[in-house]
Amino acid sequence: MKLTILGCYAATPRTITNPTAQVLEIKNRLFLIDCGEGTQVQLRKNKIKFSKINHIFISHLHGDHLFGLIGTISTFSLLGRTTDLHIYGPKGIKELILLQLKLTESWTTYNLFFHELESKESEIIFEDKKVIVKTIPLKHRVYTNGYLFQEKPDERKLNVEAVQNYDIHVAYYQKIKNGGDITLDNGTVIENEKLTFDPAPPKSYAFCSDTVYHEAIIPIIENVDVLYHESTFLESEAALAQKTLHSTAKEAARIALKANVKQLVLGHYSTRYDGLERFKVEAEEVFPNVLLADDGLSFEF
Amino acid sequence: MKLTILGCYAATPRTITNPTAQVLEIKNRLFLIDCGEGTQVQLRKNKIKFSKINHIFISHLHGDHLFGLIGTISTFSLLGRTTDLHIYGPKGIKELILLQLKLTESWTTYNLFFHELESKESEIIFEDKKVIVKTIPLKHRVYTNGYLFQEKPDERKLNVEAVQNYDIHVAYYQKIKNGGDITLDNGTVIENEKLTFDPAPPKSYAFCSDTVYHEAIIPIIENVDVLYHESTFLESEAALAQKTLHSTAKEAARIALKANVKQLVLGHYSTRYDGLERFKVEAEEVFPNVLLADDGLSFEF
């Protein structure tokens, strides 16, 4: 998986920071997560191919996660897109986008599918051969979902040497990769584990923004490789975090620790702070593997 | 008057160009004209005080003139604005903004007044002691207005020497500045023109975007100091301009010539062209005083 942060600052855009948007690449699929104002420009700056984005996930209907969506949808049309585009987000998002398209008389050149979310339980909202996406119900001032992206396990890797030693015909290779045992002509059964290696373990990524400290998400995100958890504030503003239903860096770290994730990525910083290093210091008091998101940061895991 | 170009490129935003938005300052009033995506960031980059913008004029409901409006309105709230905000634009703009505010549950901290336009004739839509604003009906694919901003004439300037020579009491000065004659104690009438100088002539600015070549606007914009006229294309794309109801640089210059304006400003360039110099060259074949708009350009007149 490869995560590119297009924007990771809260609310008010400034000249040098961008509201929430990120792109997750999994096995040649690009998923756009949230779409604050200016996202299409950030996509260009980060050289992300517009045409490869077929799925957009919106966490909640606040402007700093949403106001770039209509422009992105419109630009896709200007570029002559014909591939289907799927949009996942809270109920209301369809009306919001369709009214804007209607009043601006700008119909899309492609099919636009809306998947409106209302459930307060985690649910599977996307699945194909390689990837599965589930919602992570969050607790914020409006109906909000995080998203859990999981690779499906790859097929088993052929142990070429073993297969040749047993003189197994190539016609059986796919059966072996699918996990099947083999019966030789002499009747001997060769168990699959003697013919294959384990594939690379499937990776997972959890996006959780915006939310107050909310332990109910822990069973859903347990053991993920990377957790992006909002940290709008530092502990010095814990009361404000509680009031506005946001989290502090330390609270994000507590969630990471309790969910046993491998890597925590902090983001959605309030623009009141100068510099981000204090977010890292505060989180690392609780959880060791902390990365600070920043606009334009890209990393593979 | 002082004009600041925040964005002057057509449609698709690029990493280094912005869609249409500009700020006109007249006698300490700031008028925002059009509001493409990213306008609030451009306002910050150009150090324009958000709190001084009380009137926003939207030419038409195409995304590259509009999609930054909801973000601007929302940010005004985040900044705690309490002053009334007036928005002028085509019918439909109120529904468009109110639905977005409703679905994002983000009510404004200030009163928001919509002035929806439907007339196909030029009309006065704003007037105070110093300034008057009229619509300029344009011809585009959707209902579109340009806007004419006119200063009202200043009061006459007192000829201090003359007034003292006639020994006129200070109580009469305002009457004189208002254009009145004075009768001295001996019965002599002193005509106003002996006591005053002409004030600086009132300035005017016409914003015309988007539109096909449309001579019907000439009587409305005649003799303005500065005309901003869209020039999406060069003459080599004249057929495309006609088809999409846009103008070429040469057509913009013809309008400027026929309307006897003092200065033509070109803008709304298609992003298909490398460099802007050809726009100037083409327009100057018809009209001498041509200025190329560019993002961040600011000038007084």
Side-chain angles (χ1 to χ4, degrees), chain B residues 119-132:
Chain B
S119 174
K120 290 178 176 172
E121 307 293 327
S122 177
E123 55 181 341
I124 294 174
I125 54 171
F126 171 82
E127 185 169 9
D128 69 6
K129 280 191 295 184
K130 303 280 190 179
V131 179
I132 190 162

Side-chain angles (χ1 to χ4, degrees), chain A residues 12-13 37-38 40 44 61 104, chain B residues 12-13 37-38 40 44 61 104:
Chain A
T12 326
E37 186 172 350
Q40 58 176 317
R44 284 181 189 273
L61 301 183
T104 61
Chain B
T12 327
E37 186 174 350
Q40 56 176 320
R44 283 181 189 273
L61 301 184
T104 62

Side-chain angles (χ1 to χ4, degrees), chain B residues 65-78:
Chain B
H65 298 251
L66 174 70
F67 285 161
L69 183 56
I70 182 66
T72 301
I73 288 172
S74 299
T75 294
F76 283 0
S77 278
L78 288 174

Side-chain angles (χ1 to χ4, degrees), chain A residues 240-288:
Chain A
L240 187 56
Q242 190 65 39
K243 185 182 163 203
T244 57
L245 298 190
H246 283 297
S247 304
T248 67
K250 186 163 274 179
E251 288 170 335
R254 275 195 205 116
I255 294 289
L257 182 73
K258 293 188 177 188
N260 190 39
V261 311
K262 293 195 182 64
Q263 171 87 58
L264 169 65
V265 180
L266 296 178
H268 201 268
Y269 317 108
S270 163
T271 53
R272 75 183 54 213
Y273 302 107
D274 282 330
L276 302 177
E277 200 49 40
R278 282 191 291 159
F279 285 86
K280 192 164 192 285
V281 169
E282 187 174 294
E284 282 180 342
E285 289 170 12
V286 174
F287 182 81

Side-chain angles (χ1 to χ4, degrees), chain B residues 11-177:
Chain B
T12 327
R14 295 184 303 178
T15 52
I16 48 160
T17 63
N18 295 280
T20 303
Q22 35 185 268
V23 173
L24 182 68
E25 181 175 349
I26 311 177
K27 297 182 190 286
N28 213 29
R29 292 151 179 75
L30 289 189
F31 299 102
L32 177 60
I33 308 166
D34 277 350
C35 196
E37 186 174 350
T39 293
Q40 56 176 320
V41 173
Q42 284 297 99
L43 285 170
R44 283 181 189 273
K45 277 192 184 159
N46 288 278
K47 304 194 192 315
I48 309 259
K49 277 206 168 178
F50 284 30
S51 59
K52 281 179 69 184
I53 297 170
N54 297 328
H55 303 273
I56 302 178
F57 299 85
I58 301 294
S59 61
H60 63 302
L61 301 184
H62 275 166
D64 58 323
H65 298 251
L66 174 70
F67 285 161
L69 183 56
I70 182 66
T72 301
I73 288 172
S74 299
T75 294
F76 283 0
S77 278
L78 288 174
L79 298 175
R81 179 191 180 100
T82 54
T83 318
D84 295 348
L85 181 68
H86 294 265
I87 294 175
Y88 304 78
K91 190 169 164 57
I93 197 167
K94 181 176 178 176
E95 184 186 1
L96 194 85
I97 295 298
L98 289 191
L99 181 74
Q100 290 183 82
L101 290 175
K102 180 186 148 204
L103 288 175
T104 62
E105 296 188 23
S106 53
W107 303 107
T108 58
T109 53
Y110 51 90
N111 291 319
L112 194 54
F113 295 97
F114 290 92
H115 306 264
E116 294 199 310
L117 308 174
E118 293 183 86
S119 174
K120 290 178 176 172
E121 307 293 327
S122 177
E123 55 181 341
I124 294 174
I125 54 171
F126 171 82
E127 185 169 9
D128 69 6
K129 280 191 295 184
K130 303 280 190 179
V131 179
I132 190 162
V133 184
K134 297 172 188 165
T135 58
I136 307 168
L138 301 175
K139 192 173 172 187
H140 192 42
R141 303 195 300 279
V142 295
Y143 176 75
T144 305
N145 284 298
Y147 295 103
L148 174 64
F149 298 82
Q150 296 174 303
E151 286 179 353
K152 289 186 176 176
D154 273 337
E155 58 189 13
R156 298 189 62 75
K157 289 201 183 302
L158 208 62
N159 181 337
V160 177
E161 199 178 342
V163 169
Q164 288 175 344
N165 283 346
Y166 286 112
D167 200 21
I168 297 173
H169 192 269
V170 67
Y172 294 97
Y173 285 6
Q174 190 58 50
K175 179 183 176 188
I176 295 168
K177 287 195 271 188

